[in-house]
PDB file of all heavy atoms in Angstrom:
ATOM      1  N   GLN A  96      -2.426  -0.420  -0.082  1.00  0.00           N
ATOM      2  CA  GLN A  96      -1.005  -0.410   0.200  1.00  0.00           C
ATOM      3  C   GLN A  96      -0.667  -1.439   1.267  1.00  0.00           C
ATOM      4  O   GLN A  96      -1.350  -1.501   2.260  1.00  0.00           O
ATOM      5  CB  GLN A  96      -0.566   1.003   0.748  1.00  0.00           C
ATOM      6  CG  GLN A  96      -0.509   2.095  -0.308  1.00  0.00           C
ATOM      7  CD  GLN A  96       0.040   3.353   0.341  1.00  0.00           C
ATOM      8  OE1 GLN A  96      -0.215   3.635   1.454  1.00  0.00           O
ATOM      9  NE2 GLN A  96       0.806   4.137  -0.461  1.00  0.00           N
ATOM     10  N   ILE A  97       0.349  -2.228   0.958  1.00  0.00           N
ATOM     11  CA  ILE A  97       0.763  -3.192   2.035  1.00  0.00           C
ATOM     12  C   ILE A  97       2.306  -3.085   2.110  1.00  0.00           C
ATOM     13  O   ILE A  97       3.026  -3.096   1.154  1.00  0.00           O
ATOM     14  CB  ILE A  97       0.408  -4.631   1.659  1.00  0.00           C
ATOM     15  CG1 ILE A  97      -1.060  -4.793   1.471  1.00  0.00           C
ATOM     16  CG2 ILE A  97       0.934  -5.536   2.814  1.00  0.00           C
ATOM     17  CD1 ILE A  97      -1.472  -6.255   1.133  1.00  0.00           C
ATOM     18  N   LYS A  98       2.772  -2.839   3.378  1.00  0.00           N
ATOM     19  CA  LYS A  98       4.204  -2.741   3.642  1.00  0.00           C
ATOM     20  C   LYS A  98       4.731  -4.094   3.931  1.00  0.00           C
ATOM     21  O   LYS A  98       4.015  -5.026   4.348  1.00  0.00           O
ATOM     22  CB  LYS A  98       4.422  -1.780   4.809  1.00  0.00           C
ATOM     23  CG  LYS A  98       3.978  -0.357   4.500  1.00  0.00           C
ATOM     24  CD  LYS A  98       4.316   0.577   5.741  1.00  0.00           C
ATOM     25  CE  LYS A  98       3.921   2.004   5.486  1.00  0.00           C
ATOM     26  NZ  LYS A  98       4.150   2.836   6.674  1.00  0.00           N
ATOM     27  N   HIS A  99       6.084  -4.190   3.793  1.00  0.00           N
ATOM     28  CA  HIS A  99       6.665  -5.522   4.067  1.00  0.00           C
ATOM     29  C   HIS A  99       6.700  -5.924   5.514  1.00  0.00           C
ATOM     30  O   HIS A  99       6.905  -6.985   5.879  1.00  0.00           O
ATOM     31  CB  HIS A  99       8.091  -5.531   3.468  1.00  0.00           C
ATOM     32  CG  HIS A  99       8.130  -5.835   2.036  1.00  0.00           C
ATOM     33  ND1 HIS A  99       8.858  -6.848   1.450  1.00  0.00           N
ATOM     34  CD2 HIS A  99       7.451  -5.288   0.984  1.00  0.00           C
ATOM     35  CE1 HIS A  99       8.647  -6.893   0.180  1.00  0.00           C
ATOM     36  NE2 HIS A  99       7.842  -6.003  -0.107  1.00  0.00           N
ATOM     37  N   ASN A 100       6.350  -4.953   6.434  1.00  0.00           N
ATOM     38  CA  ASN A 100       6.200  -5.326   7.823  1.00  0.00           C
ATOM     39  C   ASN A 100       4.753  -5.758   8.134  1.00  0.00           C
ATOM     40  O   ASN A 100       4.451  -6.022   9.349  1.00  0.00           O
ATOM     41  CB  ASN A 100       6.619  -4.202   8.721  1.00  0.00           C
ATOM     42  CG  ASN A 100       5.753  -2.919   8.583  1.00  0.00           C
ATOM     43  OD1 ASN A 100       4.773  -2.926   7.837  1.00  0.00           O
ATOM     44  ND2 ASN A 100       6.096  -1.842   9.269  1.00  0.00           N
ATOM     45  N   GLY A 101       3.884  -5.807   7.118  1.00  0.00           N
ATOM     46  CA  GLY A 101       2.558  -6.274   7.308  1.00  0.00           C
ATOM     47  C   GLY A 101       1.497  -5.250   7.600  1.00  0.00           C
ATOM     48  O   GLY A 101       0.282  -5.554   7.665  1.00  0.00           O
ATOM     49  N   GLU A 102       1.860  -3.945   7.629  1.00  0.00           N
ATOM     50  CA  GLU A 102       0.865  -2.885   7.807  1.00  0.00           C
ATOM     51  C   GLU A 102       0.128  -2.639   6.422  1.00  0.00           C
ATOM     52  O   GLU A 102       0.751  -2.499   5.398  1.00  0.00           O
ATOM     53  CB  GLU A 102       1.549  -1.577   8.182  1.00  0.00           C
ATOM     54  CG  GLU A 102       2.148  -1.618   9.574  1.00  0.00           C
ATOM     55  CD  GLU A 102       2.853  -0.292   9.966  1.00  0.00           C
ATOM     56  OE1 GLU A 102       2.671   0.690   9.238  1.00  0.00           O
ATOM     57  OE2 GLU A 102       3.613  -0.263  10.969  1.00  0.00           O
ATOM     58  N   ALA A 103      -1.188  -2.594   6.504  1.00  0.00           N
ATOM     59  CA  ALA A 103      -1.981  -2.433   5.309  1.00  0.00           C
ATOM     60  C   ALA A 103      -2.902  -1.191   5.481  1.00  0.00           C
ATOM     61  O   ALA A 103      -3.386  -0.907   6.536  1.00  0.00           O
ATOM     62  CB  ALA A 103      -2.918  -3.633   5.038  1.00  0.00           C
ATOM     63  N   TYR A 104      -3.024  -0.456   4.380  1.00  0.00           N
ATOM     64  CA  TYR A 104      -3.904   0.741   4.338  1.00  0.00           C
ATOM     65  C   TYR A 104      -4.722   0.633   3.038  1.00  0.00           C
ATOM     66  O   TYR A 104      -4.113   0.526   1.906  1.00  0.00           O
ATOM     67  CB  TYR A 104      -3.057   1.963   4.347  1.00  0.00           C
ATOM     68  CG  TYR A 104      -3.861   3.261   4.220  1.00  0.00           C
ATOM     69  CD1 TYR A 104      -4.814   3.610   5.092  1.00  0.00           C
ATOM     70  CD2 TYR A 104      -3.612   4.114   3.124  1.00  0.00           C
ATOM     71  CE1 TYR A 104      -5.567   4.807   4.989  1.00  0.00           C
ATOM     72  CE2 TYR A 104      -4.297   5.314   2.984  1.00  0.00           C
ATOM     73  CZ  TYR A 104      -5.304   5.663   3.914  1.00  0.00           C
ATOM     74  OH  TYR A 104      -5.992   6.825   3.768  1.00  0.00           O
ATOM     75  N   MET A 105      -6.063   0.698   3.187  1.00  0.00           N
ATOM     76  CA  MET A 105      -6.927   0.643   2.035  1.00  0.00           C
ATOM     77  C   MET A 105      -7.939   1.727   1.998  1.00  0.00           C
ATOM     78  O   MET A 105      -8.450   2.184   2.995  1.00  0.00           O
ATOM     79  CB  MET A 105      -7.666  -0.733   1.995  1.00  0.00           C
ATOM     80  CG  MET A 105      -8.581  -0.928   0.804  1.00  0.00           C
ATOM     81  SD  MET A 105      -9.041  -2.665   0.541  1.00  0.00           S
ATOM     82  CE  MET A 105      -9.774  -3.113   2.110  1.00  0.00           C
ATOM     83  N   VAL A 106      -8.189   2.298   0.784  1.00  0.00           N
ATOM     84  CA  VAL A 106      -9.110   3.312   0.574  1.00  0.00           C
ATOM     85  C   VAL A 106     -10.085   2.918  -0.536  1.00  0.00           C
ATOM     86  O   VAL A 106      -9.598   2.530  -1.608  1.00  0.00           O
ATOM     87  CB  VAL A 106      -8.395   4.686   0.178  1.00  0.00           C
ATOM     88  CG1 VAL A 106      -9.445   5.763  -0.076  1.00  0.00           C
ATOM     89  CG2 VAL A 106      -7.441   5.128   1.253  1.00  0.00           C
ATOM     90  N   GLN A 107     -11.370   3.062  -0.318  1.00  0.00           N
ATOM     91  CA  GLN A 107     -12.337   2.603  -1.276  1.00  0.00           C
ATOM     92  C   GLN A 107     -13.328   3.734  -1.570  1.00  0.00           C
ATOM     93  O   GLN A 107     -13.946   4.294  -0.640  1.00  0.00           O
ATOM     94  CB  GLN A 107     -13.066   1.340  -0.865  1.00  0.00           C
ATOM     95  CG  GLN A 107     -12.093   0.223  -0.542  1.00  0.00           C
ATOM     96  CD  GLN A 107     -12.843  -1.037  -0.174  1.00  0.00           C
ATOM     97  OE1 GLN A 107     -13.399  -1.779  -0.970  1.00  0.00           O
ATOM     98  NE2 GLN A 107     -12.850  -1.366   1.137  1.00  0.00           N
ATOM     99  N   PHE A 108     -13.546   4.116  -2.843  1.00  0.00           N
ATOM    100  CA  PHE A 108     -14.515   5.105  -3.169  1.00  0.00           C
ATOM    101  C   PHE A 108     -15.419   4.571  -4.320  1.00  0.00           C
ATOM    102  O   PHE A 108     -14.930   4.466  -5.519  1.00  0.00           O
ATOM    103  CB  PHE A 108     -13.828   6.372  -3.634  1.00  0.00           C
ATOM    104  CG  PHE A 108     -14.795   7.402  -4.312  1.00  0.00           C
ATOM    105  CD1 PHE A 108     -15.862   7.879  -3.582  1.00  0.00           C
ATOM    106  CD2 PHE A 108     -14.591   7.756  -5.651  1.00  0.00           C
ATOM    107  CE1 PHE A 108     -16.794   8.746  -4.206  1.00  0.00           C
ATOM    108  CE2 PHE A 108     -15.565   8.615  -6.238  1.00  0.00           C
ATOM    109  CZ  PHE A 108     -16.585   9.094  -5.540  1.00  0.00           C
ATOM    110  N   ASP A 109     -16.644   4.190  -4.047  1.00  0.00           N
ATOM    111  CA  ASP A 109     -17.640   3.931  -5.020  1.00  0.00           C
ATOM    112  C   ASP A 109     -17.452   2.651  -5.830  1.00  0.00           C
ATOM    113  O   ASP A 109     -18.247   2.348  -6.661  1.00  0.00           O
ATOM    114  CB  ASP A 109     -17.960   5.060  -5.952  1.00  0.00           C
ATOM    115  CG  ASP A 109     -19.210   5.861  -5.567  1.00  0.00           C
ATOM    116  OD1 ASP A 109     -19.649   5.640  -4.443  1.00  0.00           O
ATOM    117  OD2 ASP A 109     -19.706   6.684  -6.329  1.00  0.00           O
ATOM    118  N   ASN A 110     -16.321   1.947  -5.615  1.00  0.00           N
ATOM    119  CA  ASN A 110     -16.163   0.617  -6.190  1.00  0.00           C
ATOM    120  C   ASN A 110     -16.816  -0.367  -5.344  1.00  0.00           C
ATOM    121  O   ASN A 110     -17.053  -0.099  -4.162  1.00  0.00           O
ATOM    122  CB  ASN A 110     -14.674   0.281  -6.349  1.00  0.00           C
ATOM    123  CG  ASN A 110     -14.060   0.719  -7.667  1.00  0.00           C
ATOM    124  OD1 ASN A 110     -14.779   0.986  -8.634  1.00  0.00           O
ATOM    125  ND2 ASN A 110     -12.705   0.704  -7.681  1.00  0.00           N
ATOM    126  N   PRO A 111     -17.198  -1.599  -5.847  1.00  0.00           N
ATOM    127  CA  PRO A 111     -17.690  -2.649  -4.945  1.00  0.00           C
ATOM    128  C   PRO A 111     -16.635  -2.881  -3.896  1.00  0.00           C
ATOM    129  O   PRO A 111     -15.443  -2.803  -4.154  1.00  0.00           O
ATOM    130  CB  PRO A 111     -17.839  -3.862  -5.896  1.00  0.00           C
ATOM    131  CG  PRO A 111     -17.927  -3.293  -7.260  1.00  0.00           C
ATOM    132  CD  PRO A 111     -17.133  -2.054  -7.259  1.00  0.00           C
ATOM    133  N   LEU A 112     -17.115  -3.155  -2.668  1.00  0.00           N
ATOM    134  CA  LEU A 112     -16.118  -3.314  -1.560  1.00  0.00           C
ATOM    135  C   LEU A 112     -15.229  -4.549  -1.802  1.00  0.00           C
ATOM    136  O   LEU A 112     -15.716  -5.613  -2.243  1.00  0.00           O
ATOM    137  CB  LEU A 112     -16.877  -3.489  -0.190  1.00  0.00           C
ATOM    138  CG  LEU A 112     -17.560  -2.146   0.247  1.00  0.00           C
ATOM    139  CD1 LEU A 112     -18.325  -2.480   1.610  1.00  0.00           C
ATOM    140  CD2 LEU A 112     -16.504  -1.071   0.464  1.00  0.00           C
TER     141      LEU A 112
END
Side-chain angles (χ1 to χ4, degrees):
Q96 287 186 322
I97 303 180
K98 297 182 179 180
H99 277 235
N100 64 3
E102 292 179 14
Y104 175 59
M105 182 161 56
V106 178
Q107 305 183 74
F108 168 63
D109 259 14
N110 270 343
L112 290 179

